[in-house]
Amino acid sequence: MRWLVIVIILLFLLFLDYNWGNKVSKAAARKKIGVERQSDITLFTTGETLFDDYFAELERAKHHIHILFYIVRDDEIGKRFFSLLEQKVNEGVEVRVLVDWVGSFGLPSSLRQKSGQFAFANRPTLPFFFYKLNERNHRKITVIDGKIGYLGGFNIGKEYIGQDPKFGHWRDYHLKITGEGVADLQRQFAEDWKEATGQTFGDDERYFPPLQKGAVKHRFVPTDGAYLEEEFIQLIKHAKREIIIGTPYFIPSKKIMDALFEAIKRGVQLTIIAPIQADHPFVKEASFPYFRQLLHAGAHIYQFYNGFYHTKVIVIDDDICDIGTANFDRRSLFINYEMNCYIYDKPFIQHVKQTIARDIDTSTWLTAEYFRKQSWLHRFKEAVATMLSPLL
């Protein structure tokens, strides 16, 4: 009985820590309204092609390399990554690497020391330790010489280049940006670097060189655990014909579900692509209650089977395409630090839609019959997942 009382008290303290920390964090959060830019943008959908390009650009760096990832693994590709950074440091290039404390937990100091200046983002501290343990920097930003930027869903690890047999082929979307939008990535990195280290690196022309306009109109949308729900709802309300959502985790808020139902009622076709396998416990089951409701309302839902689907993409008609770091889940909506890119260029959006169509070709169509055949064990896991969904 005494142990039960202790457990109840501990759970209450964790609940109090999380909710109080959440209120304090939300009160301090500020809405960031990105400015429309024009850049040249390239879409990468496989880790093999992305990292061939990425490492080549790192090798060409002359002045500085600024990198923020959620996950950097201590594996073959992680060692190659840090070895290249060490080479650039020895060449006199300024290198700053920022990784999330939880996402890259256990990264050995022998690797970290190779990267010039290294820091952990969102290291949990008192007060509100439990809340801050969940508040993670999920952004993936790279800026090279202030002229080349990268943003998207890939991290550094063997699974992201299809070398983990558990997942096989890894499908993700990542952007390479050249042009005036790179300065916005640099500013966000500078803000995150200062928050983690207390240091600034200046705003002179070495870090913010003159940049030319590119062909693709776009806008970056950074969020710090707040305002992303509002952004997604505005996207959904904009839709007149179709909404396409690609995400590894589909755990929306009630307000977003209401917006999706309203869109379907006004004749908008909703299509969702999610993975058939999961990379974390319960995240797949947590999506099932939402899928049931949306199927009943007339949505089309597909489960990608050609490996793991880690893509974060939203397409609204032929007008707006969102690619970035945010998942379609509660953690990205209300806890994580994210960075998305809204693209307004019709040819680029058509290219993305064609890419999504190929993803659907290697997916199965989810039906209501699938849920009717579920075992009691699957239904139990779904119930547990529903309770845990705010932290998934």
Side-chain angles (χ1 to χ4, degrees):
M1 184 65 184
R2 183 175 61 183
W3 285 109
L4 179 61
V5 172
I6 292 172
V7 168
I8 292 172
I9 291 172
L10 286 175
L11 289 174
F12 175 74
L13 290 175
L14 289 176
F15 175 82
L16 188 64
D17 176 291
Y18 183 87
N19 282 276
W20 195 358
N22 182 54
K23 288 181 180 179
V24 171
S25 176
K26 297 301 179 286
R30 58 188 177 88
K31 186 172 184 178
K32 303 172 184 177
I33 302 175
V35 177
E36 278 194 9
R37 308 292 189 190
Q38 285 186 216
S39 303
D40 292 321
I41 301 180
T42 304
L43 174 67
F44 292 93
T45 59
T46 68
E48 295 88 338
T49 55
L50 170 66
F51 288 115
D52 281 348
D53 185 88
Y54 183 75
F55 287 145
E57 293 290 6
L58 291 179
E59 287 195 11
R60 287 191 281 267
K62 301 298 183 186
H63 178 258
H64 68 269
I65 297 170
H66 291 159
I67 294 172
L68 165 58
F69 277 112
Y70 178 61
I71 293 172
V72 178
R73 301 284 190 208
D74 178 16
D75 58 16
E76 184 177 340
I77 188 172
K79 288 180 171 65
R80 178 186 170 196
F81 170 72
F82 280 110
S83 177
L84 177 54
L85 295 182
E86 182 180 33
Q87 171 192 321
K88 300 311 293 184
V89 170
N90 291 336
E91 292 174 7
V93 174
E94 292 181 18
V95 177
R96 294 176 178 87
V97 176
L98 185 61
V99 302
D100 184 79
W101 186 84
V102 172
S104 298
F105 186 79
L107 192 65
S109 59
S110 59
L111 288 181
R112 304 196 312 255
Q113 291 168 359
K114 294 182 177 182
S115 62
Q117 301 178 60
F118 179 95
F120 281 113
N122 288 42
R123 188 190 292 268
T125 57
L126 294 173
F128 318 126
F129 182 87
F130 181 64
Y131 176 77
K132 291 178 180 177
L133 187 65
N134 282 280
E135 190 180 44
R136 300 167 192 170
N137 194 323
H138 195 243
R139 294 191 261 262
K140 297 102 178 163
I141 296 172
T142 295
V143 178
I144 301 169
D145 291 339
K147 299 175 182 178
I148 298 170
Y150 292 88
L151 174 76
F154 283 98
N155 290 290
I156 300 289
K158 66 180 183 180
E159 65 266 41
Y160 300 98
I161 54 173
Q163 293 184 359
D164 188 334
K166 177 183 176 183
F167 299 111
H169 171 68
W170 189 279
R171 189 64 159 178
D172 218 328
Y173 289 7
H174 213 96
L175 304 175
K176 179 182 182 181
I177 300 105
T178 56
E180 58 183 16
V182 177
D184 294 329
L185 295 178
Q186 185 82 292
R187 290 187 188 94
Q188 186 57 60
F189 178 86
E191 181 178 314
D192 289 347
W193 182 257
K194 183 178 180 181
E195 182 176 339
T197 67
Q199 302 169 1
T200 60
F201 51 78
D203 58 359
D204 58 49
E205 195 169 298
R206 295 173 301 168
Y207 302 103
F208 294 91
L211 298 169
Q212 299 296 317
K213 286 189 176 184
V216 178
K217 186 183 293 186
H218 65 96
R219 177 169 65 94
F220 290 113
V221 182
T223 52
D224 299 338
Y227 301 111
L228 184 60
E229 179 188 50
E230 178 182 316
E231 290 284 348
F232 280 179
I233 289 172
Q234 289 305 310
L235 286 178
I236 294 166
K237 287 182 175 180
H238 180 90
K240 298 178 178 62
R241 298 181 306 280
E242 68 173 346
I243 300 169
I244 305 171
I245 300 170
T247 178
Y249 323 115
F250 189 85
I251 312 173
S253 66
K254 183 182 183 304
K255 288 183 180 180
I256 287 179
M257 282 292 284
D258 289 343
L260 290 173
F261 287 133
E262 288 172 8
I264 293 172
K265 286 179 181 178
R266 65 176 184 266
V268 175
Q269 177 60 61
L270 172 62
T271 301
I272 300 169
I273 309 102
I276 202 166
Q277 64 171 316
D279 63 336
H280 296 294
F282 297 110
V283 292
K284 181 179 177 180
E285 290 79 11
S287 68
F288 286 170
Y290 306 104
F291 285 168
R292 278 199 192 90
Q293 297 175 61
L294 291 171
L295 282 172
H296 182 72
H300 293 168
I301 301 174
Y302 297 90
Q303 291 185 300
F304 184 85
Y305 60 76
N306 185 28
F308 185 68
Y309 193 75
H310 195 245
T311 297
K312 303 102 165 52
V313 61
I314 302 172
V315 179
I316 306 296
D317 300 330
D318 296 319
D319 301 333
I320 307 172
C321 171
D322 168 35
I323 296 174
T325 70
N327 298 308
F328 213 84
D329 66 0
R330 306 283 184 85
R331 179 170 287 281
S332 286
L333 290 170
F334 303 121
I335 308 176
N336 287 347
Y337 294 6
E338 305 286 0
M339 184 78 159
N340 283 24
C341 182
Y342 289 5
I343 298 167
Y344 305 100
D345 181 78
K346 290 186 184 297
F348 190 92
I349 293 170
Q350 284 303 314
H351 172 57
V352 171
K353 292 177 77 169
Q354 290 165 8
T355 305
I356 293 171
R358 291 194 292 272
D359 293 342
I360 290 175
D361 285 342
T362 51
S363 301
T364 58
W365 191 13
L366 192 63
T367 66
E369 182 67 19
Y370 172 86
F371 293 108
R372 284 195 288 268
K373 292 181 177 179
Q374 278 190 318
S375 67
W376 68 267
L377 179 60
H378 280 91
R379 293 183 181 276
F380 174 74
K381 289 177 69 176
E382 186 179 318
V384 173
T386 299
M387 289 189 292
L388 296 175
S389 61
L391 296 177
L392 293 177

